[in-house]
Amino acid sequence: MSSDEELDEYPDGTVRLRNPNIELMDQDILYHLALGSESHDLISMFGDIKFVCMGGTPKRMEQFAYYIMEQIGHKLPAGTTLLDISQYSYRYCMYKVGPVLSISHGMGIPSVGILLHEVIKLMYHARVRDPIFFRIGTCGGIGLEGGTVVISEDAVDGMLQPFLELPVLGKLIRRPAKLDKKLCRELRALAQPDDPYETVTGRTMCTYDFYEGQGRLDGAFCDFNENDKMEYLNKIHKSGVVNIEMESLSFAALTHHAGVKSAVICVTLMDRLKGDQVLAPKEVLDEWQQRPCTLVSRYIKRYLSMKGRLSLDGHCGSMCVKSPRRFKLVQQESENYD
Ligand SMILES: O=P(O)(O)O[C@@H]1C[C@H](O)[C@@H](CO)O1
Ligand SMILES: O=c1cc[nH]c(=O)[nH]1
């Protein structure tokens, strides 16, 4: 068995860490989440998590938290609102809605990578079983019009390499950027014929830059021309790339390395074969960004209803009823940060 195929979780489904140092430490401070294994009761706070949803901006992920709350019928105790659990990290936002975590990851591989280290450790400390991670993002389409939903089959870097390369102790390590194929198919099957937009699957290119790295002519610097750009975009399109964004490589590589199932669902903001600038009006962009959220919500609702945790009227039963324990936790969470 290669190290890549080793058992990545304990038999009960809890996340296994590929780092023997963590369990020898007195405490583990998840610095960028403003949480710690000793300062917080991570099992009570997060032990019931099943879905971890991430996206670039704090606003999108706050809106997703309220949206999924309504979709699964999660009720907050009277007089309380959703709390940004990581607000005092001043880095990422994090909301918990029953079995769903909604977290912003910022822009680019370094930002999402740091977050994934800490969220994967959070899953471990909280003894979460078989979590599923989603990235809900935006991207540029290749041969796809704006507003198209793309579910990534796999991720490649700007050189079309299917792995994340990271210098560690002066050596380049490579981690395969693999996404869960079955999850990708299941998500595709949840697209509905009457959705007023297309939902497709394909290869996603992940770059280290929005401008030169994605072959844009409109950055502060540009050392190539329109022909060079089109030649490159046509070449990557031929190799199966249907969209370009900036986090999928790390998201796929780190979740795969942790043995966590994951999927990347992005909406295209424009067809890069037709232009570089984001020209759609703000209201249109807002509506487009809702589309990957709708697909992920359908998946979560289907999962919860199959597990008998969502009644037909959409209400989430066992995890979300007014529980005195949960109420205490909401209070505790607020108190921790007062
Ligand atoms: O999830 P988001 O919308 O942040 O994803 C893409 C990739 C970069 O982070 C950003 C560039 O505009 O959008
Ligand atoms: O073109 C785009 C649009 C959104 N995000 C990207 O990384 N690229």
Side-chain angles (χ1 to χ4, degrees):
M1 196 182 269
S2 77
S3 65
D4 194 41
E5 290 162 341
E6 277 167 21
L7 182 70
D8 291 313
E9 55 183 34
Y10 292 113
D12 65 357
T14 53
V15 175
R16 193 188 68 147
L17 281 189
R18 292 182 150 194
N19 180 0
N21 301 313
I22 301 296
E23 58 186 334
L24 304 176
M25 290 165 32
D26 293 338
Q27 61 169 331
D28 185 14
I29 295 171
L30 307 175
Y31 167 62
H32 303 89
L33 296 178
L35 291 169
S37 62
E38 286 306 298
S39 53
H40 295 79
D41 183 348
L42 298 178
I43 298 177
S44 319
M45 285 175 77
F46 298 101
D48 64 346
I49 289 298
K50 180 69 199 171
F51 303 103
V52 178
C53 304
M54 297 182 184
T57 70
K59 194 72 207 163
R60 187 188 313 147
M61 299 324 287
E62 183 189 12
Q63 283 172 347
F64 179 73
Y66 279 100
Y67 172 67
I68 200 72
M69 180 158 82
E70 182 226 307
Q71 290 293 307
I72 65 175
H74 179 83
K75 298 273 181 266
L76 290 177
T80 66
T81 57
L82 282 179
L83 179 77
D84 175 359
I85 298 167
S86 295
Q87 63 179 311
Y88 291 110
S89 75
Y90 303 109
R91 293 284 182 185
Y92 307 106
C93 76
M94 172 158 64
Y95 298 92
K96 181 176 183 301
V97 179
V100 182
L101 269 187
S102 182
I103 315 176
S104 66
H105 59 51
M107 281 199 284
I109 286 175
S111 184
V112 76
I114 294 165
L115 179 67
L116 282 166
H117 272 272
E118 294 186 11
V119 174
I120 290 165
K121 290 198 294 173
L122 176 61
M123 299 294 102
Y124 163 79
H125 290 302
R127 304 206 188 128
V128 170
R129 290 171 187 225
D130 300 315
I132 300 176
F133 283 32
F134 296 108
R135 165 166 145 68
I136 299 168
T138 64
C139 63
I142 310 285
L144 297 172
E145 67 178 74
T148 305
V149 174
V150 180
I151 309 162
S152 306
E153 289 172 11
D154 51 15
V156 294
D157 69 7
M159 305 297 288
L160 293 170
Q161 301 188 115
F163 41 77
L164 175 74
E165 252 177 357
L166 189 73
V168 176
L169 303 183
K171 290 188 191 126
L172 267 188
I173 60 156
R174 287 180 173 184
R175 294 203 170 126
K178 291 191 185 168
L179 293 161
D180 193 275
K181 292 208 176 324
K182 182 162 171 259
L183 183 58
C184 173
R185 284 196 301 273
E186 286 171 343
L187 285 163
R188 175 65 190 81
L190 291 170
Q192 291 171 4
D194 56 351
D195 286 338
Y197 48 87
E198 258 201 292
T199 299
V200 303
T201 67
R203 174 163 296 159
T204 296
M205 173 173 277
C206 177
T207 64
Y208 285 90
D209 172 47
F210 183 83
Y211 288 100
E212 293 169 282
Q214 296 188 5
R216 281 190 158 82
L217 296 162
D218 61 344
F221 317 104
C222 185
D223 302 326
F224 50 85
N225 62 30
E226 171 80 21
N227 285 345
D228 303 328
K229 165 189 150 180
M230 291 312 293
E231 197 183 315
Y232 177 69
L233 292 182
N234 284 319
K235 176 183 136 184
I236 65 172
H237 195 202
K238 264 198 201 124
S239 81
V241 172
V242 295
N243 65 336
I244 313 184
E245 46 77 275
M246 296 177 60
E247 289 84 19
S248 57
L249 201 70
S250 174
F251 194 82
L254 298 192
T255 51
H256 177 67
H257 199 56
V260 167
K261 251 200 224 185
S262 71
V264 176
I265 309 101
C266 291
V267 70
T268 61
L269 301 187
M270 82 291 285
D271 182 353
R272 288 299 317 289
L273 299 180
K274 296 187 181 151
D276 294 341
Q277 298 236 309
V278 182
L279 297 173
K282 194 188 165 321
E283 312 76 66
V284 173
L285 292 174
D286 287 347
E287 194 274 313
W288 285 354
Q289 286 184 53
Q290 178 57 33
R291 295 174 179 182
C293 300
T294 302
L295 194 67
V296 169
S297 161
R298 286 177 192 160
Y299 184 92
I300 292 174
K301 284 201 294 185
R302 195 194 60 146
Y303 179 94
L304 294 177
S305 65
M306 276 167 29
K307 295 280 167 197
R309 289 177 186 163
L310 195 72
S311 62
L312 287 177
D313 63 3
H315 279 239
C316 179
S318 59
M319 296 180 210
C320 312
V321 286
K322 290 177 224 128
S323 108
R325 188 171 141 264
R326 173 71 198 143
F327 182 55
K328 211 166 136 212
L329 280 175
V330 171
Q331 284 181 324
Q332 272 171 2
E333 285 161 14
S334 310
E335 282 158 13
N336 284 336
Y337 293 108
D338 279 345

